[in-house]
Amino acid sequence: MSTRRDFLKTAAVGTAALGSAHIYAAEPKKITWRLQTYAGAALAEHVIKPSIDAFNKAANGQMEIQLYFADQLVPTGELFRAMQRGTIDAVQSDDDSIAAPVDVSVFGGYFPFATRYSLDVPVLFEQYGLNEIWAEAYGEVKGVTWLGAGAWDPCHFATVQPVRKLDDLKGKRIFTFPTAGKFLSRFGVIPVTLPWEDVEVAMQTGELDGIAWSGITEDYTVGWANVTKYFLTNNISGAWCGSYFANSDKWAEVPEHLKTLFKLCMDSSNYYRQHWYWGGEAQLRVEGGKLELTSIPAEEWATVEAEAQKFWDEIAKTSPRCAKVVDIFKKYNALMAKAGAPYRG
């Protein structure tokens, strides 16, 4: 009897130990990511932080994304390589600014006159094949997984001196994106690249004459409306095209339910920006009070649009895939023109 009693006691202890081991083994290790955005702190409060806060709450302790702002860990131009190496785990930016080593990176950010409205970007990706083209391009690069694109604001000039004719742009030192800068240099603009946080000071010291990096919503949100005086209503693009990227190994380690959650939070961020920018662009033109609106006459601005078509054709010659994207842009914009108002007109 005593032997049986000792056996049962030992078995109970063993079972408890096994149970504890089982419970311990069943608890997955918390995943921690470092994600850097292209945006400075004030802008990130709108373009990404709400969605990352929501993700961290909904992940319920299984995963945490630590958000870093422009140039905080890595200079923006080095983000892609840093993500490949695993120095950081994920990025929110345009392909152009992070020097993504794919042919389609030229279409990230502001590709001149490719879009007129922010809704054009998701339509082009979801309904006109850009999702598949971007996935194919990034599939050829080791170490980084492209997760999806979304739309931001249009590209306008905010300047210290007024711009009322095309010649007024000549010699202006403008903070802008790489491809947009290449295009604008055809009209005498001198593109300048600076760390995002240095732009406001550079405007005050005279290092910059203006900005072609955003719409009016950002000009007010990040303080640029305090150091410029004029806002040009003509724009070279109706929407910035940005994406989310992740280190491929780190993305593979994320369980499917958290991958789904992250993509839903991307959608949430994309939706927030649609209404935040759309409402802000109109309201601040009318009620902003800090920037005087100027315009280049439509017939003169048409020469800029015509030059953009030549620019498209030059980019199309760089690779068959770029030619395919340019062809999609042409077909899409032709269809929108035929559809008339409110699409075009």
Side-chain angles (χ1 to χ4, degrees):
M1 178 66 76
S2 66
T3 303
R4 193 170 75 175
R5 213 169 16 242
D6 290 341
F7 170 77
L8 290 171
K9 189 188 295 181
T10 305
V13 172
T15 302
L18 283 169
S20 298
H22 175 72
I23 291 168
Y24 180 78
E27 290 181 1
K29 183 181 177 182
K30 180 181 175 181
I31 298 168
T32 303
W33 269 15
R34 299 197 302 175
L35 186 159
Q36 185 171 308
T37 176
Y38 73 96
L43 182 56
E45 284 290 334
H46 293 278
V47 300
I48 189 170
K49 192 173 183 295
S51 63
I52 297 301
D53 289 345
F55 177 89
N56 288 336
K57 184 176 181 181
N60 202 29
Q62 295 178 20
M63 183 169 173
E64 179 188 1
I65 297 175
Q66 299 169 351
L67 180 62
Y68 294 87
F69 308 129
D71 306 302
Q72 200 168 358
L73 294 178
V74 181
T76 296
E78 299 173 19
L79 276 175
F80 195 92
R81 298 301 184 189
M83 186 169 37
Q84 270 187 320
R85 293 191 303 266
T87 305
I88 54 174
D89 305 300
V91 166
Q92 180 207 44
S93 183
D94 67 286
D95 326 54
D96 198 24
S97 295
I98 63 173
V102 294
D103 48 6
V104 295
S105 66
V106 69
F107 302 112
Y110 290 120
F111 191 66
F113 297 99
T115 59
R116 183 172 293 188
Y117 306 117
S118 57
L119 274 176
D120 290 334
V121 173
V123 172
L124 282 161
F125 276 86
E126 299 294 337
Q127 298 183 23
Y128 282 76
L130 295 197
N131 272 336
E132 292 74 19
I133 293 172
W134 259 243
E136 175 190 82
Y138 284 98
E140 297 170 1
V141 180
K142 290 183 179 179
V144 171
T145 299
W146 174 79
L147 299 176
W152 274 250
D153 51 340
C155 182
H156 291 262
F157 285 85
T159 55
V160 175
Q161 300 297 326
V163 175
R164 294 191 172 95
K165 59 184 186 299
L166 206 49
D167 276 353
D168 290 339
L169 292 175
K170 287 182 178 178
K172 295 287 191 294
R173 293 160 298 177
I174 303 293
F175 174 67
T176 189
F177 292 87
T179 297
K182 288 176 187 174
F183 176 68
L184 290 171
S185 66
R186 299 182 177 208
F187 305 97
V189 167
I190 302 169
V192 178
T193 301
L194 290 171
W196 191 89
E197 292 287 357
D198 294 345
V199 171
E200 187 170 347
V201 173
M203 291 295 309
Q204 292 171 308
T205 60
E207 186 180 350
L208 288 174
D209 300 305
I211 302 153
W213 205 83
S214 69
I216 199 168
T217 307
E218 287 188 12
D219 291 336
Y220 276 82
T221 301
V222 306
W224 293 341
N226 299 328
V227 293
T228 54
K229 295 179 180 178
Y230 300 92
F231 179 83
L232 183 64
T233 60
N234 314 74
N235 67 56
I236 67 158
S237 177
W240 189 74
C241 176
S243 290
Y244 288 82
F245 310 83
N247 174 278
S248 297
D249 290 340
K250 296 297 179 67
W251 180 246
E253 292 172 2
V254 177
E256 287 302 318
H257 70 288
L258 291 177
K259 286 180 178 175
T260 300
L261 177 61
F262 186 75
K263 289 192 171 183
L264 286 170
C265 287
M266 285 168 46
D267 288 342
S268 171
S269 178
N270 293 340
Y271 168 70
Y272 179 96
R273 291 191 312 275
Q274 286 281 352
H275 64 76
W276 183 61
Y277 281 123
W278 186 255
E281 295 302 301
Q283 186 262 327
L284 289 168
R285 283 189 186 201
V286 177
E287 300 174 352
K290 293 180 180 179
L291 297 176
E292 181 183 332
L293 304 185
T294 64
S295 298
I296 294 173
E299 60 274 13
E300 193 175 5
W301 194 247
T303 64
V304 182
E305 296 189 34
E307 190 64 31
Q309 293 301 308
K310 297 177 187 176
F311 186 74
W312 287 19
D313 290 338
E314 291 169 16
I315 296 298
K317 293 175 183 176
T318 59
S319 79
R321 190 156 47 212
C322 284
K324 189 175 181 180
V325 174
V326 168
D327 188 53
I328 288 171
F329 284 155
K330 287 183 175 181
K331 288 179 179 177
Y332 176 77
N333 280 285
L335 183 139
M336 289 289 144
K338 288 178 182 177
Y343 301 96
R344 299 290 188 270

